[in-house]
Amino acid sequence: MRAKRSILCILIVFLVLSCGCFTLEVHTKVNPDATLSSYSLDLTTSQFVYNALKESAKEQGYSSLRESMTSNAEPGTYKYDEIWDGDTVTISIASTQPLQSTDPEKWQIKKESGYMIYDDKRLLSDETIEDSNEFTEAMLSSAGVHYYLEMPGKIIDTNANVVDGNKAEWHLTGSEVFTTEIYAKSEVPVFALPGFGALIALIGLSCATLLLIRKRV
């Protein structure tokens, strides 16, 4: 099943940036066929920012924030929850079935020359954040993103902060959030080749049969 557009949209991030602090945590797992077996995000922010997001949703013609954040996805593709703790709210969105990116310019998962490439540019800003002044930097310091990616094979090239086998982590703060591309390149496991699993099973069955015959002889 394809999602028409990712729930992680730049509009929300920029709105939060203009209103106050936020922390975004993303968890993504990639299948050998370049689809996502799972995808989830948790956006934690203040009640003030939440209300600003709700007002923005109403101005765009949506009845609720939930509707605005899931309107571009196929029905039943995502599960939406809100968790309140005093003046802090966490908006949680998680996929309920395998997904495929349909926005290759911003978010791309592909096989190339025997490798799997994951490239997420959705948080990149079109504005020159690098040249921002001290006030802007102070405002940006309240932004944080923690991005966790699991690839189908060993990661051989990435700009992640932490790499462990087929897993990578990005921990971004301030202007890094809007100037860092999420990129990882991994090997594709041999068992992911079409028909290879069936071949292994056939070989295993043959070996077991031969052993059984020898025992009887």
Side-chain angles (χ1 to χ4, degrees):
M1 180 65 69
R2 295 186 175 185
K4 294 180 181 178
R5 207 156 180 67
S6 167
I7 298 301
L8 178 61
C9 61
I10 297 178
L11 175 61
I12 295 175
V13 176
F14 284 135
L15 180 58
V16 174
L17 175 63
S18 65
C19 297
C21 64
F22 76 93
T23 300
L24 181 66
E25 185 169 311
V26 180
H27 292 264
T28 302
K29 184 176 181 179
V30 181
N31 282 323
D33 63 356
T35 60
L36 298 176
S37 61
S38 63
Y39 178 86
S40 66
L41 70 86
D42 294 314
L43 175 64
T44 302
T45 189
S46 65
Q47 182 176 351
F48 173 77
V49 174
Y50 176 85
N51 290 334
L53 290 172
K54 281 184 62 177
E55 288 302 316
S56 176
K58 289 181 180 179
E59 291 176 1
Q60 296 176 49
Y62 296 106
S63 60
S64 65
L65 180 57
R66 174 175 185 161
E67 182 183 344
S68 70
M69 296 184 72
T70 59
S71 62
N72 290 323
E74 297 286 352
T77 303
Y78 289 95
K79 178 182 178 182
Y80 177 98
D81 288 306
E82 292 180 7
I83 302 172
W84 286 85
D85 183 12
D87 292 333
T88 301
V89 59
T90 297
I91 299 172
S92 297
I93 302 176
S95 63
T96 57
Q97 55 189 288
L99 303 172
Q100 182 174 354
S101 170
T102 57
D103 188 10
E105 291 186 2
K106 293 292 185 180
W107 189 29
Q108 186 171 223
I109 307 125
K110 65 178 181 178
K111 289 183 179 180
E112 186 177 89
S113 302
Y115 295 97
M116 182 78 71
I117 296 175
Y118 186 94
D119 191 13
D120 191 347
K121 302 177 181 177
R122 290 170 295 168
L123 291 174
L124 295 182
S125 172
D126 294 330
E127 300 180 5
T128 310
I129 291 182
E130 292 89 342
D131 298 331
S132 56
N133 55 36
E134 292 183 3
F135 174 78
T136 306
E137 285 294 338
M139 182 174 65
L140 286 171
S141 66
S142 62
V145 169
H146 304 285
Y147 203 114
Y148 300 87
L149 172 66
E150 182 174 342
M151 297 291 280
K154 181 180 179 181
I155 295 174
I156 61 172
D157 185 28
T158 182
N159 62 341
N161 300 112
V162 180
V163 181
D164 182 12
N166 68 326
K167 298 179 180 180
E169 300 177 13
W170 288 260
H171 301 286
L172 312 173
T173 58
S175 59
E176 292 178 334
V177 171
F178 303 100
T179 58
T180 304
E181 175 182 347
I182 305 298
Y183 173 83
K185 180 179 181 180
S186 79
E187 300 173 344
V188 178
V190 176
F191 61 76
L193 295 176
F196 191 81
L199 178 60
I200 292 296
L202 181 59
I203 293 174
L205 181 60
S206 299
C207 292
T209 303
L210 286 173
L211 288 174
L212 183 60
I213 293 173
R214 287 181 179 179
K215 286 183 179 181
R216 290 183 176 180
V217 170

